[in-house]
Amino acid sequence: MSDNSFHFFAFLSRMKYINRWGLMRNTYTENIQEHSLQVAIIAHGLAVIRNTYFNGEVNPERVAILAMFHDCNEIITGDMPTPIKYYNPQISKIYKDIEDISKEKIISMLPEEMADEYYSLFFKNPDDTSCWRLVKAADRISAYIKCIEEVKAGNNEFKKAQETILQTIMEINLPEVRYFMEKFIPSFNLSLDEID
């Protein structure tokens, strides 16, 4: 029997087996590992935009690392569809508790000496509030990009989700999010030849 405190990285590598958008017909599947990388790239970009154009002082690397790990618990819980996760306050609370338990389980797969470092990546603390806001915004933007790509591929299943997610993004009161949406999102509607 192996020592459980060294399973962490092997367990995280299973992110690639957890698909998103389970209730939707997809033209291509997206797993949480792919999604987490995209969220990390976007979140890092949002932090750079904030610091460059809006006098911010957020650490882009910290934002990116938080984004990398933001959905790790879904290895245990799976990707709970948004309409179910937020169906009512009771379900949301229960799901949040399950998320926390799953995060604790994953962290328990590390040696004790390393666990504290990762604990701060899995669980929100007040010092990272501005970073987590950017991760949440990037998560929404990533979902919106998925919708754009699906609709562009002729999958109208994602049309309503695209409208709903865009509305939630527009309600985020961060200038770096508006900047990203105005300047960078239009390119996702282009073909490779048009981008090149």
Side-chain angles (χ1 to χ4, degrees):
M1 184 66 95
S2 63
D3 183 348
N4 287 346
S5 64
F6 292 98
H7 294 330
F8 181 80
F9 294 103
F11 197 72
L12 287 188
S13 75
R14 296 185 169 268
M15 289 172 70
K16 62 182 166 276
Y17 302 127
I18 311 300
N19 290 330
R20 291 171 45 80
W21 304 95
L23 294 178
M24 310 278 277
R25 181 177 58 81
N26 289 255
T27 58
Y28 73 94
T29 57
E30 176 187 49
N31 64 54
I32 62 171
Q33 190 170 55
E34 294 166 322
H35 168 70
S36 295
L37 175 60
Q38 184 176 52
V39 172
I41 291 168
I42 294 167
H44 183 274
L46 291 175
V48 171
I49 292 166
R50 176 184 286 185
N51 293 346
T52 303
Y53 300 110
F54 302 106
N55 300 313
E57 294 182 2
V58 68
N59 181 333
E61 290 75 22
R62 178 70 178 171
V63 173
I65 290 171
L66 292 173
M68 283 169 36
F69 290 96
H70 84 283
D71 276 344
C72 285
N73 62 286
E74 292 183 3
I75 302 167
I76 294 173
T77 66
D79 177 43
M80 176 74 73
T82 298
I84 297 168
K85 193 187 302 187
Y86 301 110
Y87 179 72
N88 68 34
Q90 186 179 5
I91 289 176
S92 296
K93 162 110 177 54
I94 291 167
Y95 186 72
K96 174 75 172 97
D97 292 344
I98 292 169
E99 279 184 321
D100 289 348
I101 292 166
S102 64
K103 291 173 185 178
E104 293 281 1
K105 171 65 177 166
I106 295 168
I107 290 171
S108 76
M109 297 179 189
L110 281 163
E112 265 185 59
E113 300 82 8
M114 295 174 65
D116 282 348
E117 182 73 28
Y118 287 88
Y119 197 88
S120 74
L121 302 177
F122 281 57
F123 290 94
K124 296 177 181 173
N125 69 59
D127 294 341
D128 285 326
T129 299
S130 62
C131 294
W132 279 113
R133 281 192 75 199
L134 294 179
V135 172
K136 186 171 177 60
D139 190 43
R140 293 281 77 208
I141 292 170
S142 174
Y144 183 67
I145 291 167
K146 167 68 170 169
C147 293
I148 290 172
E149 292 171 344
E150 287 288 337
V151 171
K152 195 165 82 170
N155 183 1
N156 290 328
E157 177 97 1
F158 278 79
K159 269 190 171 179
K160 178 65 178 158
Q162 184 177 7
E163 293 168 11
T164 302
I165 293 166
L166 179 58
Q167 181 61 42
T168 65
I169 294 169
M170 293 298 102
E171 291 168 2
I172 298 171
N173 189 24
L174 294 173
E176 56 270 33
V177 171
R178 285 193 301 277
Y179 185 96
F180 191 95
M181 294 300 290
E182 290 170 11
K183 304 291 187 184
F184 291 104
I185 286 297
S187 298
F188 286 91
N189 290 297
L190 304 176
S191 68
L192 177 61
D193 291 333
E194 291 171 313
I195 291 172
D196 193 15

PDB file of all heavy atoms in Angstrom, residues 111-131:
ATOM      1  N   PRO A 111       2.223  15.762   1.577  1.00  0.00           N
ATOM      2  CA  PRO A 111       2.918  15.723   2.864  1.00  0.00           C
ATOM      3  C   PRO A 111       2.524  16.946   3.690  1.00  0.00           C
ATOM      4  O   PRO A 111       2.270  18.021   3.139  1.00  0.00           O
ATOM      5  CB  PRO A 111       4.398  15.797   2.473  1.00  0.00           C
ATOM      6  CG  PRO A 111       4.453  15.385   1.047  1.00  0.00           C
ATOM      7  CD  PRO A 111       3.143  15.781   0.437  1.00  0.00           C
ATOM      8  N   GLU A 112       2.450  16.778   5.003  1.00  0.00           N
ATOM      9  CA  GLU A 112       2.039  17.866   5.895  1.00  0.00           C
ATOM     10  C   GLU A 112       2.825  19.148   5.659  1.00  0.00           C
ATOM     11  O   GLU A 112       2.277  20.245   5.708  1.00  0.00           O
ATOM     12  CB  GLU A 112       2.229  17.446   7.361  1.00  0.00           C
ATOM     13  CG  GLU A 112       0.984  16.885   7.990  1.00  0.00           C
ATOM     14  CD  GLU A 112       1.191  16.596   9.456  1.00  0.00           C
ATOM     15  OE1 GLU A 112       1.520  17.547  10.204  1.00  0.00           O
ATOM     16  OE2 GLU A 112       1.038  15.425   9.837  1.00  0.00           O
ATOM     17  N   GLU A 113       4.118  19.012   5.398  1.00  0.00           N
ATOM     18  CA  GLU A 113       4.981  20.181   5.241  1.00  0.00           C
ATOM     19  C   GLU A 113       4.592  21.021   4.024  1.00  0.00           C
ATOM     20  O   GLU A 113       4.899  22.208   3.959  1.00  0.00           O
ATOM     21  CB  GLU A 113       6.458  19.757   5.102  1.00  0.00           C
ATOM     22  CG  GLU A 113       7.007  18.980   6.276  1.00  0.00           C
ATOM     23  CD  GLU A 113       6.648  17.484   6.246  1.00  0.00           C
ATOM     24  OE1 GLU A 113       6.091  17.012   5.243  1.00  0.00           O
ATOM     25  OE2 GLU A 113       6.943  16.812   7.252  1.00  0.00           O
ATOM     26  N   MET A 114       3.930  20.414   3.042  1.00  0.00           N
ATOM     27  CA  MET A 114       3.534  21.127   1.823  1.00  0.00           C
ATOM     28  C   MET A 114       2.083  21.597   1.860  1.00  0.00           C
ATOM     29  O   MET A 114       1.690  22.464   1.086  1.00  0.00           O
ATOM     30  CB  MET A 114       3.736  20.221   0.596  1.00  0.00           C
ATOM     31  CG  MET A 114       5.179  19.855   0.305  1.00  0.00           C
ATOM     32  SD  MET A 114       5.304  18.641  -1.042  1.00  0.00           S
ATOM     33  CE  MET A 114       4.682  19.574  -2.448  1.00  0.00           C
ATOM     34  N   ALA A 115       1.290  21.030   2.713  1.00  0.00           N
ATOM     35  CA  ALA A 115      -0.160  21.246   2.684  1.00  0.00           C
ATOM     36  C   ALA A 115      -0.556  22.711   2.851  1.00  0.00           C
ATOM     37  O   ALA A 115      -1.460  23.192   2.164  1.00  0.00           O
ATOM     38  CB  ALA A 115      -0.838  20.382   3.743  1.00  0.00           C
ATOM     39  N   ASP A 116       0.119  23.438   3.752  1.00  0.00           N
ATOM     40  CA  ASP A 116      -0.245  24.846   3.985  1.00  0.00           C
ATOM     41  C   ASP A 116      -0.135  25.685   2.723  1.00  0.00           C
ATOM     42  O   ASP A 116      -0.975  26.546   2.457  1.00  0.00           O
ATOM     43  CB  ASP A 116       0.622  25.462   5.083  1.00  0.00           C
ATOM     44  CG  ASP A 116       0.170  25.058   6.472  1.00  0.00           C
ATOM     45  OD1 ASP A 116      -0.940  24.485   6.593  1.00  0.00           O
ATOM     46  OD2 ASP A 116       0.921  25.315   7.421  1.00  0.00           O
ATOM     47  N   GLU A 117       0.897  25.442   1.950  1.00  0.00           N
ATOM     48  CA  GLU A 117       1.110  26.194   0.704  1.00  0.00           C
ATOM     49  C   GLU A 117      -0.079  26.007  -0.237  1.00  0.00           C
ATOM     50  O   GLU A 117      -0.557  26.949  -0.863  1.00  0.00           O
ATOM     51  CB  GLU A 117       2.397  25.730   0.027  1.00  0.00           C
ATOM     52  CG  GLU A 117       2.739  26.474  -1.238  1.00  0.00           C
ATOM     53  CD  GLU A 117       3.234  27.892  -1.002  1.00  0.00           C
ATOM     54  OE1 GLU A 117       3.819  28.163   0.064  1.00  0.00           O
ATOM     55  OE2 GLU A 117       3.028  28.731  -1.898  1.00  0.00           O
ATOM     56  N   TYR A 118      -0.569  24.799  -0.344  1.00  0.00           N
ATOM     57  CA  TYR A 118      -1.673  24.513  -1.253  1.00  0.00           C
ATOM     58  C   TYR A 118      -3.026  24.879  -0.649  1.00  0.00           C
ATOM     59  O   TYR A 118      -3.962  25.196  -1.387  1.00  0.00           O
ATOM     60  CB  TYR A 118      -1.631  23.049  -1.704  1.00  0.00           C
ATOM     61  CG  TYR A 118      -0.513  22.829  -2.681  1.00  0.00           C
ATOM     62  CD1 TYR A 118       0.759  22.502  -2.247  1.00  0.00           C
ATOM     63  CD2 TYR A 118      -0.717  23.006  -4.049  1.00  0.00           C
ATOM     64  CE1 TYR A 118       1.799  22.330  -3.155  1.00  0.00           C
ATOM     65  CE2 TYR A 118       0.312  22.848  -4.957  1.00  0.00           C
ATOM     66  CZ  TYR A 118       1.570  22.505  -4.495  1.00  0.00           C
ATOM     67  OH  TYR A 118       2.583  22.356  -5.391  1.00  0.00           O
ATOM     68  N   TYR A 119      -3.121  24.837   0.662  1.00  0.00           N
ATOM     69  CA  TYR A 119      -4.365  25.218   1.333  1.00  0.00           C
ATOM     70  C   TYR A 119      -4.769  26.633   0.911  1.00  0.00           C
ATOM     71  O   TYR A 119      -5.935  26.905   0.632  1.00  0.00           O
ATOM     72  CB  TYR A 119      -4.198  25.130   2.855  1.00  0.00           C
ATOM     73  CG  TYR A 119      -5.501  25.104   3.602  1.00  0.00           C
ATOM     74  CD1 TYR A 119      -6.155  23.906   3.866  1.00  0.00           C
ATOM     75  CD2 TYR A 119      -6.108  26.283   4.033  1.00  0.00           C
ATOM     76  CE1 TYR A 119      -7.370  23.874   4.539  1.00  0.00           C
ATOM     77  CE2 TYR A 119      -7.320  26.261   4.711  1.00  0.00           C
ATOM     78  CZ  TYR A 119      -7.942  25.052   4.951  1.00  0.00           C
ATOM     79  OH  TYR A 119      -9.153  25.031   5.607  1.00  0.00           O
ATOM     80  N   SER A 120      -3.792  27.516   0.824  1.00  0.00           N
ATOM     81  CA  SER A 120      -4.086  28.908   0.464  1.00  0.00           C
ATOM     82  C   SER A 120      -4.478  29.052  -1.012  1.00  0.00           C
ATOM     83  O   SER A 120      -4.976  30.092  -1.421  1.00  0.00           O
ATOM     84  CB  SER A 120      -2.889  29.807   0.779  1.00  0.00           C
ATOM     85  OG  SER A 120      -1.850  29.597  -0.157  1.00  0.00           O
ATOM     86  N   LEU A 121      -4.245  28.010  -1.820  1.00  0.00           N
ATOM     87  CA  LEU A 121      -4.661  28.035  -3.223  1.00  0.00           C
ATOM     88  C   LEU A 121      -6.058  27.460  -3.410  1.00  0.00           C
ATOM     89  O   LEU A 121      -6.734  27.768  -4.384  1.00  0.00           O
ATOM     90  CB  LEU A 121      -3.673  27.249  -4.087  1.00  0.00           C
ATOM     91  CG  LEU A 121      -2.219  27.708  -4.065  1.00  0.00           C
ATOM     92  CD1 LEU A 121      -1.358  26.791  -4.923  1.00  0.00           C
ATOM     93  CD2 LEU A 121      -2.091  29.153  -4.529  1.00  0.00           C
ATOM     94  N   PHE A 122      -6.473  26.623  -2.481  1.00  0.00           N
ATOM     95  CA  PHE A 122      -7.769  25.963  -2.590  1.00  0.00           C
ATOM     96  C   PHE A 122      -8.877  26.719  -1.851  1.00  0.00           C
ATOM     97  O   PHE A 122     -10.035  26.663  -2.252  1.00  0.00           O
ATOM     98  CB  PHE A 122      -7.685  24.538  -2.016  1.00  0.00           C
ATOM     99  CG  PHE A 122      -7.066  23.534  -2.948  1.00  0.00           C
ATOM    100  CD1 PHE A 122      -5.801  23.713  -3.471  1.00  0.00           C
ATOM    101  CD2 PHE A 122      -7.755  22.388  -3.287  1.00  0.00           C
ATOM    102  CE1 PHE A 122      -5.239  22.779  -4.318  1.00  0.00           C
ATOM    103  CE2 PHE A 122      -7.197  21.446  -4.130  1.00  0.00           C
ATOM    104  CZ  PHE A 122      -5.934  21.642  -4.654  1.00  0.00           C
ATOM    105  N   PHE A 123      -8.502  27.373  -0.748  1.00  0.00           N
ATOM    106  CA  PHE A 123      -9.501  28.041   0.093  1.00  0.00           C
ATOM    107  C   PHE A 123      -9.271  29.543   0.083  1.00  0.00           C
ATOM    108  O   PHE A 123      -8.143  30.004   0.222  1.00  0.00           O
ATOM    109  CB  PHE A 123      -9.437  27.506   1.528  1.00  0.00           C
ATOM    110  CG  PHE A 123      -9.920  26.095   1.646  1.00  0.00           C
ATOM    111  CD1 PHE A 123      -9.033  25.037   1.587  1.00  0.00           C
ATOM    112  CD2 PHE A 123     -11.275  25.833   1.797  1.00  0.00           C
ATOM    113  CE1 PHE A 123      -9.482  23.722   1.679  1.00  0.00           C
ATOM    114  CE2 PHE A 123     -11.739  24.525   1.902  1.00  0.00           C
ATOM    115  CZ  PHE A 123     -10.834  23.465   1.839  1.00  0.00           C
ATOM    116  N   LYS A 124     -10.335  30.281  -0.073  1.00  0.00           N
ATOM    117  CA  LYS A 124     -10.249  31.740  -0.166  1.00  0.00           C
ATOM    118  C   LYS A 124      -9.918  32.343   1.189  1.00  0.00           C
ATOM    119  O   LYS A 124     -10.438  31.918   2.210  1.00  0.00           O
ATOM    120  CB  LYS A 124     -11.557  32.311  -0.685  1.00  0.00           C
ATOM    121  CG  LYS A 124     -11.879  31.863  -2.093  1.00  0.00           C
ATOM    122  CD  LYS A 124     -13.212  32.370  -2.582  1.00  0.00           C
ATOM    123  CE  LYS A 124     -13.458  31.838  -3.992  1.00  0.00           C
ATOM    124  NZ  LYS A 124     -14.780  32.146  -4.485  1.00  0.00           N
ATOM    125  N   ASN A 125      -9.034  33.344   1.151  1.00  0.00           N
ATOM    126  CA  ASN A 125      -8.768  34.125   2.358  1.00  0.00           C
ATOM    127  C   ASN A 125      -8.857  35.601   1.998  1.00  0.00           C
ATOM    128  O   ASN A 125      -8.715  35.967   0.826  1.00  0.00           O
ATOM    129  CB  ASN A 125      -7.421  33.736   2.998  1.00  0.00           C
ATOM    130  CG  ASN A 125      -6.244  34.151   2.155  1.00  0.00           C
ATOM    131  OD1 ASN A 125      -6.068  35.332   1.866  1.00  0.00           O
ATOM    132  ND2 ASN A 125      -5.412  33.206   1.747  1.00  0.00           N
ATOM    133  N   PRO A 126      -9.105  36.459   2.979  1.00  0.00           N
ATOM    134  CA  PRO A 126      -9.333  37.886   2.705  1.00  0.00           C
ATOM    135  C   PRO A 126      -8.187  38.571   1.956  1.00  0.00           C
ATOM    136  O   PRO A 126      -8.430  39.510   1.197  1.00  0.00           O
ATOM    137  CB  PRO A 126      -9.516  38.499   4.098  1.00  0.00           C
ATOM    138  CG  PRO A 126      -9.955  37.370   4.957  1.00  0.00           C
ATOM    139  CD  PRO A 126      -9.303  36.137   4.400  1.00  0.00           C
ATOM    140  N   ASP A 127      -6.962  38.102   2.137  1.00  0.00           N
ATOM    141  CA  ASP A 127      -5.820  38.719   1.448  1.00  0.00           C
ATOM    142  C   ASP A 127      -5.907  38.571  -0.074  1.00  0.00           C
ATOM    143  O   ASP A 127      -5.299  39.353  -0.803  1.00  0.00           O
ATOM    144  CB  ASP A 127      -4.499  38.104   1.933  1.00  0.00           C
ATOM    145  CG  ASP A 127      -4.213  38.430   3.388  1.00  0.00           C
ATOM    146  OD1 ASP A 127      -4.814  39.401   3.916  1.00  0.00           O
ATOM    147  OD2 ASP A 127      -3.393  37.724   3.994  1.00  0.00           O
ATOM    148  N   ASP A 128      -6.630  37.570  -0.531  1.00  0.00           N
ATOM    149  CA  ASP A 128      -6.713  37.295  -1.965  1.00  0.00           C
ATOM    150  C   ASP A 128      -8.048  37.712  -2.589  1.00  0.00           C
ATOM    151  O   ASP A 128      -8.361  37.309  -3.703  1.00  0.00           O
ATOM    152  CB  ASP A 128      -6.500  35.789  -2.221  1.00  0.00           C
ATOM    153  CG  ASP A 128      -5.052  35.368  -2.071  1.00  0.00           C
ATOM    154  OD1 ASP A 128      -4.161  36.164  -2.401  1.00  0.00           O
ATOM    155  OD2 ASP A 128      -4.820  34.226  -1.618  1.00  0.00           O
ATOM    156  N   THR A 129      -8.829  38.522  -1.895  1.00  0.00           N
ATOM    157  CA  THR A 129     -10.165  38.869  -2.381  1.00  0.00           C
ATOM    158  C   THR A 129     -10.127  39.462  -3.788  1.00  0.00           C
ATOM    159  O   THR A 129     -10.892  39.053  -4.665  1.00  0.00           O
ATOM    160  CB  THR A 129     -10.866  39.840  -1.407  1.00  0.00           C
ATOM    161  OG1 THR A 129     -10.997  39.190  -0.144  1.00  0.00           O
ATOM    162  CG2 THR A 129     -12.243  40.235  -1.916  1.00  0.00           C
ATOM    163  N   SER A 130      -9.219  40.408  -4.031  1.00  0.00           N
ATOM    164  CA  SER A 130      -9.176  41.033  -5.361  1.00  0.00           C
ATOM    165  C   SER A 130      -8.705  40.033  -6.421  1.00  0.00           C
ATOM    166  O   SER A 130      -9.164  40.067  -7.560  1.00  0.00           O
ATOM    167  CB  SER A 130      -8.294  42.283  -5.357  1.00  0.00           C
ATOM    168  OG  SER A 130      -6.970  41.955  -5.039  1.00  0.00           O
ATOM    169  N   CYS A 131      -7.836  39.127  -6.033  1.00  0.00           N
ATOM    170  CA  CYS A 131      -7.376  38.084  -6.968  1.00  0.00           C
ATOM    171  C   CYS A 131      -8.534  37.156  -7.335  1.00  0.00           C
ATOM    172  O   CYS A 131      -8.735  36.829  -8.509  1.00  0.00           O
ATOM    173  CB  CYS A 131      -6.237  37.279  -6.355  1.00  0.00           C
ATOM    174  SG  CYS A 131      -4.719  38.200  -6.077  1.00  0.00           S
TER     175      CYS A 131
END
